[in-house]
Amino acid sequence: MPSHVILAVILMLTVFQRDETLRSYGGAGTEWQLAEINGAPFNATATLRFPSRNVIAGSAPCNSYRSTNTVPFPWFEAGPIAATRMACPDLAAEAAFFEALDAATIGKVVEDRLILSNDEGDLLIFTAAD
């Protein structure tokens, strides 16, 4: 079979595969505002969105970021986080946010809340932005 036919078949299988990530189970279509981190109120500003299949993005306290989430629901796994490199007074809050985002392994949407957790408990609780 010619290589261009094999490539076309692989591309078609990828395009028509159903999105089984958290995006399809309540995460899409909303900008999520971080309210709590590790059980405490988050006093800076951070958001999370699911702009397209397998992609997460948002703004951290100082920088915008982008990552991937390709694991099936209810699992959550942020791929390598790419962020801009601007400094601001909230860099410590941003580091804590990225650390918790990286540690999250389970995600769920309950009413107007997005909860990212792991075996140790809830790490990040977001609320739907107005």
Side-chain angles (χ1 to χ4, degrees):
M1 187 178 297
S3 62
H4 67 280
V5 173
I6 293 171
L7 182 60
V9 169
I10 291 171
L11 181 61
M12 287 181 65
L13 289 174
T14 302
V15 169
F16 294 114
Q17 185 178 14
R18 178 172 152 73
D19 183 356
E20 291 293 331
T21 66
L22 180 58
R23 179 178 191 266
S24 289
Y25 290 86
T30 301
E31 180 170 75
W32 299 97
Q33 181 81 34
L34 185 58
E36 292 182 28
I37 185 168
N38 299 317
F42 191 70
N43 296 320
T45 300
T47 64
L48 175 69
R49 294 178 290 105
F50 297 87
S52 61
R53 182 180 180 176
N54 297 335
V55 175
I56 61 172
S59 60
C62 302
N63 294 283
S64 59
Y65 70 93
R66 191 170 186 85
S67 185
T68 59
N69 176 48
T70 59
V71 295
F73 179 80
W75 308 114
F76 180 88
E77 181 179 295
I81 299 169
T84 56
R85 301 280 184 197
M86 295 177 60
C88 81
D90 289 326
L91 276 176
E94 180 166 293
F97 170 60
F98 286 153
E99 184 177 315
L101 190 62
D102 187 53
T105 58
I106 300 169
K108 63 183 174 184
V109 175
V110 179
E111 296 176 7
D112 67 342
R113 295 184 316 151
L114 168 65
I115 302 167
L116 299 180
S117 59
N118 64 16
D119 291 340
E120 297 174 17
D122 294 344
L123 300 170
L124 300 163
I125 298 177
F126 296 85
T127 58
D130 296 330

